[in-house]
Amino acid sequence: MIKDTIVDGFANAPHRSLYHALGLTDEEQSRPLIGIVSSFNEIVPGHVNLDKIADAVKLGVAMAGGTPIVFPAITVCDGIAMGHVGMKYSLITRDLIADSTEAMVMAHGFDGLVMIPNCDKNVPGLLMAAARLNIPTIFVSGGPMLAGRLDGKKTSLSSMFEAVGAYSAGKIDDNRLKVCEEKTCPTCGSCSGMYTANSMNCLTEVLGMGLEGNGTVPAVYSKRIELAKHAGMQIMELVRKNIRPRDIMTKAAFNNALTADMALGCSTNSMLHLPAIANECGIEINLDDANRISEKTPNLCHLAPAGHTYMEDLNEAGGVYAVLKELTKKELLDTSVMTCTGKTMAENIENAVNTDTDTIRSIDNPYSQTGGIAVLRGNLAPDGCVVKRSAVAPEMLVHEGPAKVFDSEEDTIRAIYNGEIVKGDVVVIRYEGPSGGPGMREMLSPTSAIAGMGLDKDVALITDGRFSGATRGASIGHVSPEAVRGGLIAYVKDGDIISINIPEYKIELKVSEDEIEKRKAETTLKVKTDIKGCLKRYSEMVSSADKGAIINKF
């Protein structure tokens, strides 16, 4: 306990004097000190409500006999950072968040933690910190945004990016674009589809680190405030029982998370984040685990961008627990795992009910018999690449076509808007990997431009960077090894034939070995020399995408 090392005894009188400077009474100093890691800020829509969540958590902690202390964590809004240099700084914040949280906790000796994240890298970054620190911890997110309403139908941010493509193709005018702009994102919260933020918040429930509803209760619902109070109360129970993150996030828990990932149709970014979190627990997850689990896990949900349902619909249908209950009908989960409730998963989901089989398909009537994510391998990606197959049109599951090669996202977008991409093409975007980017930019703009121009059923995209959870279509990311580290993607030329077979998990560059060796001898890899600061450090230290883009692990 903190009082044993920082508060009690004559030698700690200076520490106590500083606590008094904070206005903490002797009574407060005698109780467990609970760090509340709040990601509140005024630039990220998913985080602008977190001050209210933090206040509710503080009340819960105090009601249960603890002393709550708030300190901050940063986050980047991927939507605002999208399509420019800002996106290079998104993935790197995952490690900055983990490191800075570690520093704050170790310096101040908290007895327990309540993590309040909500957006893409903020959730995994704090899960990494929780695993690394391994003191009692619970998560409560800020919750998803409500879906927008346009022409009587629900919509979300991915539709807004696609509207830009439609505008560029002359399919909509200025007035229509303005209407879309004003009605797409109607409330605070993480964007309303099964994008990365919501994927990771849902998987936090599955991992056992968040209470029921953490991933699905909308940000603007009063139930979200109640959930925060319960999280504040529950951390005190975890402290009393000394239940720690690594007691909860076991190998079985990560297998459960991969299984739920496949059923929910989560973002491909989960294939970066789950291995990174597991690494902090001393557990290895590789891409072969994902395919093995995907092969036996039905895809039960087609939330946006894959389908017409949204996070609010998943919440009304019974949430994550209802999906888990469906999966138990074919014994696909280890429900004996411990969770932050102090109970097993089996106990948690005992009374869960699926009330909407349009939003959550029954286990006997899935969208597909295999999971929402597939890992492809072949000479173009011997260490693997990732696609959200649940969001791929059936006619694009198998595709072969000529390469159109670009060395940056910006060059790709210009070519798309200039009409240089035609039906049948395979767009290759390289030098956007973890090291080569650096930062492995999420590229929603080119995929949305393709979709908005009506080419998503005719054109594939391949990159050593990554695609947004809001992406749909045959968008294949995380190609490993990446271009800057000599991956074959560095040697592809315009017109080369690339074969993609998602059902068979294959991706091939149809160029002879002799020609490839000739190109390797003639090609100089494009290493960026004008980067500095945290980007330079990240570029030099980050692993490949297939290992989770983990720092210091090559």
Side-chain angles (χ1 to χ4, degrees):
M1 297 288 286
I2 183 175
K3 66 185 183 65
D4 298 329
T5 55
I6 296 179
V7 176
D8 284 353
F10 74 92
N12 288 323
H15 303 77
R16 291 194 295 273
S17 71
L18 291 169
Y19 282 142
H20 284 298
L22 293 171
L24 293 181
T25 65
D26 291 338
E27 293 81 2
E28 287 173 303
Q29 292 183 42
S30 70
R31 298 169 183 165
L33 193 68
I34 306 301
I36 300 172
V37 190
S38 173
S39 304
F40 167 76
N41 62 55
E42 295 182 341
I43 188 62
V44 182
H47 289 237
V48 74
N49 66 320
L50 297 192
D51 55 342
K52 298 177 179 64
I53 301 297
D55 286 344
V57 170
K58 288 173 68 177
L59 281 172
V61 170
M63 284 191 291
T67 298
I69 300 289
V70 176
F71 66 90
I74 64 167
T75 195
V76 164
C77 177
D78 279 22
I80 294 174
M82 197 74 66
H84 58 90
V85 69
M87 183 47 71
K88 292 179 182 290
Y89 288 86
S90 174
L91 183 57
I92 74 169
T93 64
R94 188 183 69 179
D95 295 279
L96 295 175
I97 290 161
D99 292 349
S100 59
T101 302
E102 175 193 358
M104 285 293 290
V105 172
M106 295 305 294
H108 300 104
F110 294 101
D111 296 307
L113 297 170
V114 181
M115 305 291 202
I116 310 178
N118 211 31
C119 286
D120 292 24
K121 311 311 170 302
N122 189 244
V123 183
L126 289 177
L127 282 165
M128 289 165 65
R132 188 183 301 173
L133 291 161
N134 201 35
I135 64 173
T137 303
I138 194 169
F139 278 66
V140 57
S141 76
M145 182 185 295
L146 293 179
R149 299 294 193 278
L150 197 61
D151 302 329
K153 296 180 180 179
K154 293 179 181 179
T155 189
S156 61
L157 184 65
S158 55
S159 300
M160 189 66 242
F161 275 88
E162 290 178 15
V164 174
Y167 179 85
S168 299
K171 294 184 176 183
I172 62 173
D173 61 16
D174 290 306
N175 289 335
R176 180 62 178 179
L177 187 65
K178 183 66 173 174
V179 169
C180 294
E181 177 185 325
E182 292 176 347
K183 293 189 175 183
T184 294
C185 299
T187 75
C188 64
S190 49
C191 297
S192 57
M194 187 54 81
Y195 309 151
T196 305
N198 293 325
S199 294
M200 293 311 301
N201 279 324
C202 288
L203 295 181
T204 299
E205 282 191 56
V206 185
L207 282 170
M209 293 297 292
L211 299 175
E212 180 181 8
N214 178 68
T216 60
V217 174
V220 294
Y221 281 16
S222 298
K223 186 70 175 176
R224 175 63 55 180
I225 300 299
E226 293 182 25
L227 184 65
K229 291 176 183 175
H230 283 130
M233 290 185 275
Q234 185 59 25
I235 188 58
M236 296 305 299
E237 188 69 14
L238 295 176
V239 169
R240 279 189 284 270
K241 293 181 177 178
N242 196 29
I243 298 174
R244 299 169 180 249
R246 285 184 225 157
D247 299 326
I248 294 170
M249 290 193 287
T250 61
K251 178 65 173 179
F254 281 103
N255 285 339
N256 287 342
L258 284 169
T259 302
D261 186 322
M262 300 304 166
L264 286 163
C266 290
S267 163
T268 53
N269 282 312
S270 63
M271 294 298 102
L272 285 176
H273 300 323
L274 287 175
I277 299 161
N279 178 66
E280 297 288 351
C281 296
I283 296 167
E284 183 178 355
I285 289 178
N286 59 51
L287 297 184
D288 291 329
D289 291 328
N291 268 358
R292 173 179 54 80
I293 289 172
S294 181
E295 272 294 299
K296 64 181 182 179
T297 305
N299 177 226
L300 305 181
C301 299
H302 265 193
L303 279 73
H308 64 277
T309 53
Y310 295 81
M311 294 306 297
E312 62 199 66
D313 301 310
L314 179 60
N315 186 63
E316 293 301 317
V320 173
Y321 279 20
V323 175
L324 298 180
K325 191 65 174 286
E326 287 290 340
L327 292 171
T328 63
K329 294 175 182 179
K330 290 197 174 179
E331 299 181 344
L332 294 172
L333 299 170
D334 181 345
T335 59
S336 69
V337 293
M338 177 55 63
T339 73
C340 66
T341 65
K343 301 176 182 178
T344 65
M345 178 187 285
E347 293 174 292
N348 288 343
I349 68 174
E350 183 178 2
N351 297 318
V353 177
N354 178 6
T355 62
D356 180 359
T357 53
D358 181 45
T359 300
I360 305 171
R361 290 279 186 94
S362 72
I363 197 77
D364 296 317
N365 183 36
Y367 284 101
S368 65
Q369 293 295 336
T370 52
I373 290 176
V375 175
L376 315 183
R377 293 185 188 271
N379 67 346
L380 192 56
D383 294 334
C385 55
V386 181
V387 62
K388 187 172 183 176
R389 65 174 156 194
S390 60
V392 178
E395 52 266 53
M396 287 298 292
L397 290 171
V398 177
H399 180 76
E400 186 170 292
K404 292 280 182 70
V405 184
F406 305 93
D407 289 343
S408 72
E409 177 186 12
E410 289 83 358
D411 290 346
T412 310
I413 293 171
R414 278 192 291 270
I416 294 170
Y417 288 156
N418 287 338
E420 297 172 27
I421 307 303
V422 298
K423 290 183 178 183
D425 282 347
V426 178
V427 177
V428 177
I429 313 171
R430 62 192 178 192
Y431 294 104
E432 291 285 6
S435 178
M440 200 179 184
R441 281 194 289 184
E442 191 172 88
M443 289 177 282
L444 179 57
S445 294
T447 60
S448 296
I450 290 287
M453 297 172 80
L455 293 171
D456 58 296
K457 295 181 180 180
D458 301 288
V459 171
L461 295 93
I462 297 173
T463 184
D464 55 4
R466 60 197 176 93
F467 292 119
S468 167
T471 291
R472 63 185 175 95
S475 301
I476 301 166
H478 308 197
V479 169
S480 299
E482 61 177 295
V484 79
R485 290 186 175 160
L488 187 56
I489 192 172
Y491 307 106
V492 181
K493 291 186 176 182
D494 283 345
D496 287 349
I497 300 301
I498 294 175
S499 173
I500 301 163
N501 191 320
I502 295 173
E504 294 185 6
Y505 307 109
K506 293 179 180 178
I507 184 166
E508 294 286 335
L509 175 67
K510 293 196 166 182
V511 173
S512 71
E513 286 294 328
D514 288 345
E515 174 62 19
I516 289 170
E517 290 305 314
K518 178 183 176 184
R519 292 181 189 181
K520 286 182 178 181
E522 297 172 348
T523 303
T524 300
L525 299 178
K526 297 182 178 180
V527 180
K528 294 182 175 68
T529 58
D530 58 345
I531 55 173
K532 57 185 178 180
C534 56
L535 283 181
K536 181 174 176 61
R537 182 170 64 249
Y538 187 86
S539 176
E540 292 171 348
M541 300 173 70
V542 69
S543 79
S544 60
D546 65 289
K547 293 181 174 65
I550 297 168
I551 295 296
N552 283 332
K553 187 167 184 179
F554 292 88

